[in-house]
């Protein structure tokens, strides 16, 4: 396991015998790999976000919606994160989810 030391500011577990400090996620990964023979990764919400992006890529970056792309140098539509994002793409989103 990785010793995170004093630099780690999140939830942590301190082993009084070895004086090591671990994140709760690292501790869970260690437990399940040694006691249950499982393997895993700590990805926070990376997998869900990635799958969402892949599944809805063409809808998120739909350049036929007026006003959301004003320059080719944008990294996303201007309405991303607003209520208008959904309402402008509602039909396409609902169709995709069927």
């Amino acid at each position: 396991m990785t010793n995170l030391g004093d630099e780690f500011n999140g939830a942590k577990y301190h082993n009084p015998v070895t004086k090591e400090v671990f994140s709760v996620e690292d501790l869970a990964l260690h437990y399940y790999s040694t006691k249950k023979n499982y393997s895993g990764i700590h990805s926070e919400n990376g997998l869900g976000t990635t799958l969402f992006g892949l599944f809805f890529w063409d809808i998120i970056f739909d350049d036929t919606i007026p006003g959301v792309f004003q320059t080719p140098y944008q990294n996303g539509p201007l309405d991303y994160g607003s209520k208008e994002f959904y309402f402008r793409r509602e039909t396409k989103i609902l169709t995709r989810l069927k």
Side-chain angles (χ1 to χ4, degrees):
M1 284 186 3
T2 306
N3 185 338
L4 299 173
D6 294 331
E7 331 53 79
F8 187 73
N9 295 322
K12 53 190 164 191
Y13 165 77
H14 176 256
N15 184 332
V17 176
T18 63
K19 307 288 190 225
E20 293 176 301
V21 179
F22 304 103
S23 72
V24 172
E25 294 84 1
D26 285 339
L27 184 63
L29 286 170
H30 178 72
Y31 171 81
Y32 283 107
S33 68
T34 58
K35 305 290 187 201
K36 303 288 185 179
N37 200 28
Y38 295 156
S39 62
I41 59 170
H42 174 205
S43 67
E44 291 292 332
N45 197 23
L47 180 62
T49 303
T50 300
L51 291 175
F52 171 81
L54 291 172
F55 191 65
F56 289 102
W57 186 270
D58 58 325
I59 297 172
I60 294 169
F61 293 97
D62 184 358
D63 60 358
T64 63
I65 299 171
V68 297
F69 286 101
Q70 297 180 356
T71 171
Y73 305 107
Q74 286 178 236
N75 63 359
L78 293 176
D79 63 345
Y80 192 76
S82 73
K83 292 178 188 176
E84 293 303 312
F85 179 85
Y86 175 75
F87 293 126
R88 290 177 178 165
R89 296 163 180 83
E90 182 175 12
T91 303
K92 292 179 181 183
I93 292 170
L94 293 176
T95 301
R96 177 69 46 88
L97 292 175
K98 287 185 181 181

